[in-house]
Amino acid sequence: MTTPLNLQQQQHQQLQQAARTVRRVVVEVVDARNLLPKDGQGSSSPYVVADFDGQRKRTTTRFKELNPVWNEPMEFIVSDPENMEFEELEVEVYNDRKFGNASGKKNHFLGRVKLYGTQFARRGEEGLVYFTLEKKSVFSWVRGEIGLKIYYYDELLPEDDRPPQVPPPEEGGPPPEQEQERGRPHGVTIVEEGRVFEGPGTMEPPQMHPHCMPFPEPQPHSPRVVVVESPPPVVHVHHDLPPGTEIGGGVSLGPAAAEVRRMQAVKGERMRILKKPNGAGDYSPKVIPTKQHGGVESERVHPYDLVEPMQYLYVRIVKARGLAPSEGPYVKVRTSSHYVKSKPASYRPNEPNDSPEWNQVFALSCNKTDANTATLEISVWDSPSENFLGGVCFDLSDVPVRDPPDSPLAPQWYRLDGVAADQIPGRVSGDIQLSVWIGTQSDDAFAEAWISDAPYVAHTRSKVYQSPKLWYLRVTVIEAQDLSIAPNLPPLTAPEVRVKVQLGFQSGRTRRGSMNHHSLSFHWNEDLLFVAGEPLEDSMILLVEDRTSKEPALLGHVVIPLTSIEQRIDERHVPAKWFPLEGGGGGGSYCGRVHLRLCLEGGYHVLDEAAHVCSDFRPTAKQLWKPPIGILELGILGARGLLPMKTKGPGKGSTDAYCVAKYGKKWVRTRTVTDSLDPRWNEQYTWQVYDPCTVLTIGVFDNWRMFADVAEDKPDCRIGKVRIRVSTLESNRIYTNSYPLLVLTRSGLKKMGEIELAVRFACPSLLPDTCAVYGQPLLPRMHYLRPLGVAQQEALRGAATKMVAQWLARSEPPLGHEVVRYMLDADSHAWSMRKSKANWFRIVAVLAWAVGLAKWLDDIRRWRNPITTVLLHVLYLVLVWYPDLVVPTGFLYVVLIGIWYYRFRPKIPAGMDTRLSQSEAVDPDELDEEFDTMPSSKPAEVIRVRYDRLRMLAARVQTVLGDFATQGERVQALVSWRDPRATKLFIGVCLVITIILYTVPPKMVAVALGFYFLRHPMFRDPMPPASLNFFRRLPSLSDRLM
């Protein structure tokens, strides 16, 4: 039974408990998306202001970012926790005018969100929610959304913790250090990447992970431990900082009045705090410093001036003579850091057995320290018995240095010497022919040498490949005669005869032929296009089929070699020929004949890449090529921080990376650097440039084929790809940059490392030929005289990609099918919701200037800035009175805009844009759909959900198309008399306007209309104008749809 005394004691305890707790609301501003540009330069510098319970706090400003990321928490104290659900939280986004050239004295409003306490979650139950930004007034123009995490918690304050009522220290009091230790009973220990350091109890990192990990309760006086997971640099916390001082990544120390939360909880609690790195910085290209491009120029100009010189010790083993009797001699090359063996010796016909030959070159990496102190030992051994046959020793300090274009070093004969312990007579004898020199990767012998950092010779060599020469084969099927048609057809049934053409893996079929009853011939007059590659060794097979019944019947076929087909480079007429058919069902040798027009089209460019990233637009026929306008030089320096792609041994990862670059018909492949996460290639390649509006593609792959057997095919793994548009490069300037290697996987966007490139476009800046290219058609002439359809072009591109992949797979080392498809973007035409969103936002960004212009005119009409409106009135009067100045003024304005934006031109060539690609925050289901096969391999339920989602999207598109059609039909209804009264009114108004324009000078009419449009808001009616109301009432054809 509860007595009044006990009830009073419980109420008293509850009041004491409430007095010792403080409720805090944390508003974590994570990021924002698709904000409106307000700085006059197509961007914004946003910051967020939060207002709650009489407290107002703000975040930092993100410079020129329409999709900013803050991850900044703001903490508010709730004055009345019982009425918290009635409190209003207002979050506003502004553009900081200090970081742009925006006009006005105030920061521009970008949107706001209003929430109430009923929408707050308790700590541990919160989640990231994106709120659509709302307008402040009817005339506000905002867009985008903001991501917030909002939660609250109750903090238990100890009795001795009274920061607002702390009196000043007395003279006889304890020293400040002791007072600080006494006032900090609940300290905080931060563990960050293996480092432990302690901070005061009033400190808390800016980002709080929503899920805390409880650990067993430690000793009573153990400090609170917080595990901070963040990339370097590490933030160090010091105790002697003044209040309010910021540390590292935004961690600040100060009293409760500052914008800092106090971390106080149960003693010994362990928390995990995740700090997300700034993705924009990691995914953007960076300029890397180079030594070879700056400073004092050397006396000699090296051919490999874009890359870093790598020093190698070259040893060329040619042959030997007069060796002791042996069965299988081989050579050992040994230095202080390398030990290699040569291949087995070979013998020339009619040569003695004591004169073996090797003809092998070794390239051993070395540095200046090794070259001055180390020695080189070259010895000859017998393979079955491992008998020593003699050797030669060199001091590396005496080895000559060869630098191209010097001639190759001539090999010399050296006497083989034995060791002191070898007392067997006749074992060591003879001479060995070799040459030793020190050079770089620009040496002529580097491409064929056994390189120390690429020991697997078969699949690790640097190679240059050429794509096959591709033609379009045009087959015009005209007619067929004397076909053996089955006589037992039903009455009034015409035979269905079709022609099928096969060329390798490609096939095409004509439509149903029309039959001429008088001559019993079939006519088609239909073109079929195929891709043919040189050497033209294949044959075209043409089949005539009767598909009247369920089982098609072969009426005849003909085999035509491609070498017998005429080639043409223009639109000249090619005569048609009759070809006899063979092998039909009639049983005789003659089965009829077919009339064909065949030609190999050399005036087209056979596309094997996507049109927007094409690297070459030249036609197939070399006679139509124009002279090159410049040279493109690419230096592949190396890669940094690659992720391990395979495992070697327990707990050890490795990557065997190589790089592939493609431009035009020329493919290059660097050597494979084995077992290195930071490979250095330092290889340089050149291409001739015929059109600057082309794209250079560079891809990095992990080599798996060098571990595969002959019968096994292990595909190489992709690491990343970079595209550089040649037209964005300034003439004769070297760009040395580091680009991120990004791969989009089923789990999301993944950064695999960085690649360092040096690019130079050697071209005269204003050469007439270079400038004339911009005025010429992009594709060859035949693409405009006899254009190809979009679907047809895409099918031919798929066939060309497959032929290029088959051709390069026959090389040594081969370029795998997966490498060629990845470099050529073979899957770029596949459906992807992510790409659809990216293209939509690209359209929105293109139309943003029109939206900004409309908003500016609306501000002028509403007299937001009276001075600007008055100046526009004056300018309008000048242009109306002097109409000859309208066009020159418009072009002058464009010139001034171009000069103004010269300051903001890109300094380095852009790489892959993750934000433009919509790959940073893509939905997992959309990614799974993007990587799905064709046809789909997913269960029926998943396909049904995706189909319903696609139907919803198509319904929106259908509505938009219907709205466009409605507006066009209303325009047609003005004079179509579908609405007689509306047409009469429109004709009458047009008559009145005609009379006014005939009688009143046009300048006066233009001034009157302009001033009426710019009239003051006090003379405006808030309702829509009569002309708009009239147009909206016009009939459309939407009411006739079923």
Side-chain angles (χ1 to χ4, degrees):
M1 181 175 181
T2 303
T3 62
L5 180 60
N6 294 335
L7 182 60
Q8 187 176 6
Q9 290 178 355
Q10 292 178 4
Q11 293 177 353
H12 181 66
Q13 291 177 0
Q14 292 177 359
L15 291 175
Q16 288 183 345
Q17 182 75 12
R20 291 198 301 267
T21 59
V22 174
R23 176 165 293 184
R24 301 179 184 273
V25 174
V26 180
V27 180
E28 183 175 353
V29 184
V30 180
D31 60 355
R33 301 174 179 174
N34 194 25
L35 297 180
L36 194 68
K38 287 292 188 76
D39 62 352
Q41 301 173 1
S43 184
S44 291
S45 300
Y47 67 91
V48 179
V49 177
D51 194 343
F52 178 76
D53 200 3
Q55 307 164 60
R56 188 177 180 87
K57 299 180 181 180
R58 63 162 286 177
T59 65
T60 57
T61 302
R62 292 291 181 255
F63 177 68
K64 290 189 177 300
E65 193 71 40
L66 295 181
N67 296 277
V69 178
W70 287 284
N71 288 318
E72 297 181 18
M74 295 181 288
E75 185 172 284
F76 302 90
I77 299 176
V78 183
S79 59
D80 188 2
E82 296 181 357
N83 297 322
M84 185 187 69
E85 59 182 2
F86 303 107
E87 293 290 342
E88 183 183 68
L89 169 65
E90 186 173 2
V91 180
E92 298 180 340
V93 187
Y94 290 93
N95 169 50
D96 199 338
R97 62 182 179 86
K98 298 179 182 178
F99 295 87
N101 61 346
S103 60
K105 298 181 180 179
K106 296 182 179 180
N107 296 331
H108 289 97
F109 176 75
L110 297 179
R112 70 175 179 180
V113 174
K114 283 187 178 182
L115 304 171
Y116 290 91
T118 54
Q119 300 175 260
F120 301 165
R122 188 175 294 275
R123 183 167 61 183
E125 302 175 358
E126 76 277 6
L128 177 60
V129 181
Y130 284 91
F131 299 92
T132 304
L133 294 176
E134 302 174 353
K135 299 180 179 181
K136 182 182 292 184
S137 63
V138 180
F139 306 105
S140 299
W141 182 262
V142 300
R143 76 177 184 195
E145 52 188 11
I146 184 171
L148 303 174
K149 288 184 181 179
I150 306 175
Y151 58 92
Y152 68 92
Y153 66 95
D154 295 328
E155 182 180 18
L156 181 62
L157 294 178
E159 295 180 358
D160 56 349
D161 189 9
R162 302 182 182 89
Q165 290 84 14
V166 174
E170 299 179 0
E171 295 180 0
E177 292 82 1
Q178 299 180 7
E179 188 68 27
Q180 183 180 4
E181 294 294 331
R182 182 183 307 169
R184 186 163 48 94
H186 304 285
V188 177
T189 301
I190 297 182
V191 183
E192 184 168 356
E193 297 197 357
R195 305 182 182 182
V196 181
F197 40 86
E198 189 173 353
T202 58
M203 184 199 71
E204 180 161 330
Q207 299 179 12
M208 229 17 215
H209 198 275
H211 304 288
C212 299
M213 301 177 60
F215 282 77
E217 187 174 0
Q219 299 297 326
H221 297 287
S222 61
R224 186 185 189 184
V225 178
V226 179
V227 179
V228 180
E229 296 182 355
S230 63
V234 179
V235 179
H236 299 272
V237 180
H238 304 276
H239 302 297
D240 53 353
L241 295 177
T245 305
E246 290 193 359
I247 303 175
V251 180
S252 58
L253 304 178
E259 295 183 12
V260 180
R261 298 190 291 177
R262 180 186 300 273
M263 281 175 46
Q264 294 182 355
V266 182
K267 298 180 180 180
E269 184 181 0
R270 188 178 180 92
M271 298 183 181
R272 184 172 299 273
I273 300 173
L274 246 65
K275 293 184 178 179
K276 296 182 180 179
N278 188 5
D282 294 341
Y283 296 157
S284 58
K286 303 172 185 176
V287 179
I288 56 177
T290 55
K291 297 180 180 179
Q292 68 272 16
H293 301 154
V296 182
E297 296 183 356
S298 59
E299 297 179 358
R300 171 176 287 181
V301 178
H302 296 272
Y304 281 53
D305 59 338
L306 296 184
V307 297
E308 303 170 1
M310 302 176 67
Q311 200 171 43
Y312 288 93
L313 172 64
Y314 288 91
V315 180
R316 180 188 295 273
I317 310 295
V318 184
K319 58 184 177 180
R321 65 185 180 186
L323 289 181
S326 58
E327 297 182 12
Y330 67 95
V331 179
K332 292 183 180 179
V333 180
R334 184 190 300 271
T335 64
S336 60
S337 56
H338 298 92
Y339 171 70
V340 296
K341 296 181 181 181
S342 71
K343 61 184 180 181
S346 61
Y347 297 90
R348 290 187 178 183
N350 302 325
E351 288 287 336
N353 293 334
D354 61 349
S355 300
E357 293 186 3
W358 291 278
N359 290 318
Q360 190 172 3
V361 182
F362 299 93
L364 310 178
S365 59
C366 67
N367 50 41
K368 293 183 178 180
T369 304
D370 296 339
N372 295 330
T373 60
T375 59
L376 170 65
E377 299 177 2
I378 302 175
S379 55
V380 184
W381 298 75
D382 190 13
S383 60
S385 60
E386 292 297 326
N387 292 330
F388 177 71
L389 303 180
V392 181
C393 186
F394 294 91
D395 187 356
L396 293 186
S397 60
D398 298 332
V399 174
V401 178
R402 176 178 178 264
D403 196 3
D406 294 347
S407 299
L409 194 65
Q412 297 181 357
W413 289 100
Y414 293 89
R415 184 70 181 174
L416 294 175
D417 297 328
V419 294
D422 189 4
Q423 302 296 335
I424 302 177
R427 174 175 294 182
V428 177
S429 64
D431 302 321
I432 185 171
Q433 189 182 59
L434 55 86
S435 58
V436 181
W437 72 94
I438 294 177
T440 62
Q441 72 271 29
S442 62
D443 200 287
D444 298 338
F446 182 77
E448 300 178 358
W450 185 98
I451 307 173
S452 58
D453 55 5
Y456 299 94
V457 179
H459 293 83
T460 59
R461 286 290 154 264
S462 301
K463 291 295 180 181
V464 177
Y465 308 86
Q466 284 288 336
S467 295
K469 188 176 182 180
L470 301 180
W471 297 75
Y472 280 149
L473 171 62
R474 186 184 295 274
V475 180
T476 305
V477 183
I478 302 175
E479 65 173 322
Q481 295 180 358
D482 303 336
L483 299 179
S484 301
I485 305 298
N488 54 352
L489 291 178
L492 302 179
T493 301
E496 182 181 350
V497 178
R498 297 177 184 268
V499 176
K500 181 180 179 181
V501 181
Q502 295 180 351
L503 179 63
F505 60 87
Q506 309 171 66
S507 65
R509 184 180 285 110
T510 64
R511 64 181 183 273
R512 180 174 182 173
S514 60
M515 182 177 180
N516 189 337
H517 295 280
H518 297 284
S519 60
L520 296 180
S521 61
F522 292 85
H523 298 266
W524 290 276
N525 287 321
E526 185 174 351
D527 284 351
L528 298 177
L529 279 177
F530 303 92
V531 179
E534 290 189 356
L536 302 174
E537 300 173 348
D538 296 335
S539 297
M540 185 194 76
I541 302 175
L542 185 140
L543 308 173
V544 181
E545 299 174 339
D546 184 4
R547 307 181 70 89
T548 307
S549 59
K550 294 183 179 179
E551 295 295 332
L554 180 63
L555 302 180
H557 75 278
V558 60
V559 179
I560 304 174
L562 294 183
T563 54
S564 63
I565 299 178
E566 184 179 355
Q567 301 176 0
R568 72 172 183 179
I569 61 176
D570 50 16
E571 68 277 12
R572 64 181 178 85
H573 179 73
V574 176
K577 297 181 181 179
W578 287 96
F579 294 89
L581 297 176
E582 301 176 356
S589 60
Y590 178 74
C591 302
R593 61 177 184 171
V594 62
H595 199 200
L596 304 176
R597 181 180 294 112
L598 306 176
C599 67
L600 290 170
E601 300 280 6
Y604 288 90
H605 169 70
V606 181
L607 285 171
D608 56 356
E609 303 168 287
H612 59 281
V613 292
C614 193
S615 61
D616 188 16
F617 295 104
R618 290 175 295 169
T620 302
K622 199 171 183 179
Q623 304 93 309
L624 302 178
W625 291 4
K626 297 180 180 179
I629 61 173
I631 300 295
L632 177 64
E633 301 175 84
L634 172 66
I636 305 175
L637 304 179
R640 299 288 185 187
L642 297 181
L643 296 182
M645 304 296 292
K646 57 175 72 75
T647 57
K648 287 187 177 181
K652 181 184 178 183
S654 67
T655 299
D656 307 310
Y658 67 93
C659 187
V660 176
K662 196 263 181 187
Y663 184 79
K665 299 295 182 183
K666 181 179 177 181
W667 298 65
V668 298
R669 169 180 177 157
T670 66
R671 68 187 187 280
T672 301
V673 179
T674 59
D675 197 11
S676 176
L677 301 181
D678 297 314
R680 308 303 296 174
W681 294 292
N682 285 303
E683 299 184 20
Q684 184 171 339
Y685 302 93
T686 60
W687 289 269
Q688 288 185 335
V689 178
Y690 294 86
D691 193 330
C693 303
T694 46
V695 177
L696 169 68
T697 305
I698 306 103
V700 183
F701 302 88
D702 180 50
N703 199 332
W704 282 80
R705 281 187 167 82
M706 63 183 184
F707 302 109
D709 298 333
V710 178
E712 186 181 8
D713 186 18
K714 287 186 176 181
D716 296 339
C717 296
R718 61 182 68 172
I719 298 179
K721 180 170 58 177
V722 177
R723 297 194 195 101
I724 299 176
R725 186 166 289 273
V726 179
S727 60
T728 61
L729 304 176
E730 296 184 10
S731 300
N732 307 315
R733 175 184 172 184
I734 298 177
Y735 296 88
T736 308
N737 306 311
S738 174
Y739 294 90
L741 295 172
L742 306 174
V743 172
L744 194 62
T745 62
R746 293 180 181 269
S747 58
L749 183 65
K750 193 173 184 180
K751 181 179 179 181
M752 310 296 290
E754 295 183 354
I755 184 173
E756 298 177 355
L757 303 173
V759 186
R760 175 172 57 196
F761 179 35
C763 170
S765 299
L766 296 177
L767 190 70
D769 294 341
T770 307
C771 299
V773 171
Y774 285 87
Q776 297 173 358
L778 190 64
L779 294 171
R781 189 166 180 263
M782 286 295 293
H783 284 270
Y784 303 97
L785 296 179
R786 302 191 67 176
L788 306 177
V790 177
Q792 186 181 34
Q793 185 70 68
E794 198 63 37
L796 292 173
R797 178 184 163 233
T801 302
K802 191 173 181 179
M803 295 185 66
V804 172
Q806 292 177 352
W807 175 270
L808 297 179
R810 295 197 293 264
S811 304
E812 184 63 34
L815 273 183
H817 183 265
E818 70 285 351
V819 174
V820 177
R821 288 182 61 86
Y822 183 59
M823 295 290 291
L824 296 179
D825 278 341
D827 301 327
S828 61
H829 63 283
W831 159 255
S832 169
M833 182 67 75
R834 175 187 59 85
K835 293 181 181 178
S836 301
K837 291 181 180 178
N839 291 330
W840 167 253
F841 286 115
R842 287 171 59 196
I843 295 175
V844 172
V846 168
L847 299 179
W849 69 271
V851 176
L853 179 61
K855 184 180 180 303
W856 178 75
L857 289 176
D858 186 70
D859 292 341
I860 295 296
R861 289 179 65 237
R862 301 185 183 280
W863 291 69
R864 298 285 175 82
N865 192 339
I867 298 178
T868 305
T869 305
V870 171
L871 292 177
L872 186 64
H873 279 76
V874 175
L875 178 62
Y876 182 74
L877 282 175
V878 172
L879 294 179
V880 169
W881 214 256
Y882 300 99
D884 297 341
L885 299 179
V886 174
V887 176
T889 304
F891 281 101
L892 178 62
Y893 182 68
V894 174
V895 171
L896 294 178
I897 291 178
I899 296 175
W900 173 260
Y901 278 103
Y902 179 78
R903 302 185 306 158
F904 311 105
R905 69 191 186 280
K907 299 296 189 291
I908 59 178
M912 299 294 184
D913 194 333
T914 57
R915 186 171 303 135
L916 182 66
S917 305
Q918 298 292 315
S919 57
E920 292 183 350
V922 61
D923 187 79
D925 184 64
E926 295 177 1
L927 269 181
D928 187 66
E929 182 183 11
E930 182 174 347
F931 286 96
D932 194 7
T933 58
M934 183 65 73
S936 178
S937 58
K938 298 299 178 181
E941 288 297 324
V942 177
I943 297 177
R944 184 182 61 82
V945 172
R946 292 176 179 174
Y947 176 67
D948 292 342
R949 181 178 61 191
L950 192 62
R951 289 177 61 190
M952 294 175 59
L953 179 63
R956 297 178 185 176
V957 176
Q958 173 182 294
T959 304
V960 172
L961 294 178
D963 293 340
F964 274 110
T966 298
Q967 307 308 321
E969 290 166 356
R970 286 174 177 171
V971 173
Q972 293 178 348
L974 289 172
V975 292
S976 64
W977 294 91
R978 286 206 297 265
D979 187 345
R981 285 176 292 275
T983 304
K984 291 177 183 179
L985 288 174
F986 178 71
I987 294 177
V989 171
C990 291
L991 179 60
V992 173
I993 294 175
T994 303
I995 296 173
I996 294 175
L997 292 179
Y998 272 123
T999 56
V1000 181
K1003 294 183 179 179
M1004 301 299 296
V1005 175
V1007 171
L1009 292 177
F1011 278 41
Y1012 177 78
F1013 179 77
L1014 299 174
R1015 67 190 184 279
H1016 197 271
M1018 63 183 299
F1019 301 108
R1020 295 181 184 275
D1021 187 1
M1023 301 304 292
S1027 57
L1028 185 59
N1029 296 332
F1030 176 80
F1031 182 77
R1032 289 175 177 174
R1033 290 178 177 274
L1034 291 172
S1036 65
L1037 301 181
S1038 58
D1039 53 348
R1040 302 184 186 180
L1041 293 176
M1042 297 181 63

